[in-house]
Amino acid sequence: MTTDRYNAFAVALHWAMAVAIIGMLIGGFVMTSELLDKSQRFTMIQWHKALGVLMLLAIAARLVLRLATHPPALPNYMMGWERTAAGLGHIALYALMLIMPITGWLMVSSSQYGLPTLVFGWFTWPHLPGVAADDAVNGAAKALHYYAAFAFIAVIASHLAGTVKHIWMDGHALLYRMWFDTPKRALLGLGGVAASVLALAVLPLGGAASVSTPSLNAPAVSVADAAPGAYVVDYGASTVSFSGIHAGDQFRGTFSEWSADIQFDPGALADSRADIRFALSSASTGNPFYDGTLPESDWFDIANHPEGRFAATSVVAGDQDGTFIMEGDLTLRGKSLPLRLPFTYDVVEDGTAIVKGSVIADRLAYGIGENSDATAEWVSQEITIDIDIRAARQSDDESDLSS
Ligand code: HEM
């Protein structure tokens, strides 16, 4: 009786995979349906990718096991055609278990979105080596993933039909072969599966387990560059940030590396100017998916354009008292476009000068995300840029904000 059973590890792996595959198929169709809103869809696709990667690892373990060990022989009562059908069915199942995650992997690797595959904050699964963003490859992978899902359903259905036939029509209680004979073996088998997935994920990936961020030429902006002046920017209390909407949800990011050189005198606007520079690689939204995507070539393209800059050559008075407008060029991804940044200027009791400004920029005008999301289906076209700069007065001259 024990020789014609699968071993406990194979049994545990079989049932874990069965549940996972059926869950992935159902989840896959749900997440691409109209049932979810954009935000839910985005979240569910990230879960799907993470689970799919774990499944690829489990499938690899299963294949190694299948090739390294001999499965129990098919029961004697099975006829020739049944043996052939069972053999072909098993080959189809293994093929589809590989085709599904590999086409999914190819799909995300060739996607213009450039979104990383984060496995539950545990490790980042790299994109397929040598695969660049390519619509044709992405479309082919997507179609394969889609049609293979139907093929998978058909093969699983015939696998089940075969099992039902053996049990109810032929009267052979065949299912025991793929079940644990003792609770202890069940525990051993399930523990073995969990340990193997962990080992496969942690050991061989090692260095590859991080998002490949292109190396950044250190931008010429940093707090240390601050030149002495009447005001020194308090970088700890100041922020340069951007915000917008992704999949219906608000996001906000800040730059941690930036510098501001502002000469401002409300009484001498003609002599006023500003130069704000920020390292695009220092952008952080607190969302690992966004932070993994922003450096990519279609978004900030930090490998080629590490720095963003707003250079205002003139400052004019605004409509209301205490309001002003910096007029200059905003440069992103190597493209400079005119921008008017309205701001307020206040000097509080302790002499701290506060400059607060906000402006809406059109990301597509700079080519940001133009391949991934040219119609702003996911990410809003309008991105708000906010500055909130606080500078400590170093002398009596309140008019000079140079830092
Ligand atoms: C056994 C593993 C997997 C199964 C059974 C599975 C199943 C499915 C199904 C049924 C769909 C919906 C049909 C479609 O629109 O294509 C889907 C969509 C998707 N899958 Fe998978 N998948 C697996 C692995 C993966 C992996 C490993 C990834 C990526 C790392 C992935 C990424 C995706 C993506 C991005 C979509 C959405 C496609 C779209 O936007 O239309 N899948 N999957």
Side-chain angles (χ1 to χ4, degrees), residues 17 20-32 41 45 48-56 59 96-108 117 125 141-147 149-150 152-153:
M17 299 280 302
I21 288 168
I22 292 168
M24 287 289 282
L25 286 168
I26 297 171
F29 285 118
V30 169
M31 78 191 187
T32 50
R41 181 172 182 211
I45 290 181
H48 180 90
K49 286 161 58 185
L51 282 170
V53 161
L54 290 182
M55 287 179 68
L56 181 59
I59 288 158
L96 286 161
M97 279 195 283
L98 284 172
I99 290 170
M100 284 311 295
I102 289 173
T103 51
W105 191 10
L106 182 61
M107 198 197 314
V108 299
T117 300
W125 183 253
K142 206 168 185 169
L144 269 173
H145 200 67
Y146 179 75
Y147 290 114
F150 289 102
F152 215 171
I153 292 169

